[in-house]
Amino acid sequence: MAGFDTKALNKITYGLYVITSSHEGKDNGFICNTVTQIASDPMRIAVSVNKANYSHDLIKSSGKMNVCTLTEEAPFDIFTRFGFQSGRNADKFAGTQVFRTANGCPLLSGYINSFMSLEVKDYADMGSHGLFICELTDAAVMNEKPSMSYAYYHANVKPKPPAQEKKVKGYICDICGYIYEGDPLPEDFICPICKHPASDFSPLE
Ligand code: FE
């Protein structure tokens, strides 16, 4: 364990986005919190994507994506649909009318205030993640509703743990609120709901 407090990383503020992609007829979208404008001239946007995500491969193959900026009105259902299942075995746009931007990528039809269409200019291998460095090819603002921050999601969107009648030893998933009953939490535990690792769990108070 490092001799410094890595919880400092939790003090970084992030937004929340649905990133959509399309390649050879396959559409996908996933929840992302790592979208940053990194240069203004030329304008460059960086998006970091976990290599385990199906979207990583679709974006790497197609060289394009849409960043849909979620508003504070986005319900937990959006996170369940786009964040807690893989596009490898689920069609995340099933049952919805799919709108597309000029680059052919889907657009989320609600709960967003803007979109950006990106074309990949550069790629850096970051180990667990691939970093896509992109040019803006299209963008629009739909409304002035506030963008959802990661902190807002944790405070207001993620389901609250049920009130405990008797004290149980356990751990709660910081991402989706799933509760593991038991102590200790196995090191290789994977959240059955959102698939995040044991490191994203906190002891129940
Ligand atoms: Fe979880």
Side-chain angles (χ1 to χ4, degrees):
M1 194 63 191
F4 46 78
D5 192 352
T6 56
K7 284 201 173 57
L9 276 69
N10 299 343
K11 300 301 185 192
I12 300 173
T13 57
Y14 295 100
L16 280 168
Y17 312 89
V18 171
I19 307 244
T20 64
S21 52
S22 187
H23 184 59
E24 294 177 345
K26 179 74 191 174
D27 294 329
N28 201 31
F30 76 107
I31 302 282
C32 181
N33 68 312
T34 45
V35 175
T36 312
Q37 182 184 347
I38 52 167
S40 54
D41 187 19
M43 167 89 75
R44 287 292 180 267
I45 313 285
V47 180
S48 179
V49 184
N50 193 312
K51 287 183 192 167
N53 285 358
Y54 183 46
S55 286
H56 173 272
D57 298 353
L58 291 182
I59 294 167
K60 202 157 190 286
S61 301
S62 67
K64 61 187 185 179
M65 71 183 100
N66 282 341
V67 174
C68 304
T69 302
L70 290 170
T71 68
E72 291 181 349
E73 291 177 352
F76 189 60
D77 176 62
I78 291 288
F79 295 87
T80 308
R81 176 184 286 259
F82 288 103
F84 301 166
Q85 58 180 349
S86 172
R88 282 193 184 86
N89 39 44
D91 175 5
K92 299 186 181 183
F93 290 95
T96 65
Q97 193 182 349
V98 179
F99 300 94
R100 288 174 199 285
T101 51
N103 66 357
C105 294
L107 194 60
L108 218 62
S109 57
Y111 309 117
I112 67 174
N113 59 19
S114 58
F115 82 88
M116 296 179 284
S117 292
L118 302 182
E119 189 179 302
V120 178
K121 289 287 162 193
D122 232 318
Y123 175 85
D125 188 329
M126 296 283 122
S128 63
H129 288 60
L131 184 67
F132 295 97
I133 296 162
C134 308
E135 180 180 69
L136 195 64
T137 58
D138 194 8
V141 173
M142 283 87 167
N143 60 67
E144 296 300 330
K145 293 174 181 171
S147 302
M148 185 180 293
S149 69
Y150 208 36
Y152 186 93
Y153 167 79
H154 280 292
N156 302 294
V157 181
K158 183 179 70 175
K160 299 273 184 294
Q164 301 287 332
E165 294 194 357
K166 60 177 178 21
K167 204 83 171 151
V168 293
K169 285 242 182 209
Y171 292 81
I172 182 164
C173 176
D174 294 333
I175 308 299
C176 74
Y178 172 82
I179 290 177
Y180 174 87
E181 290 189 15
D183 198 29
L185 179 70
E187 263 177 45
D188 60 352
F189 190 74
I190 303 286
C191 177
I193 307 298
C194 72
K195 316 297 181 205
H196 277 241
S199 56
D200 282 323
F201 279 69
S202 304
L204 281 175
E205 292 298 321

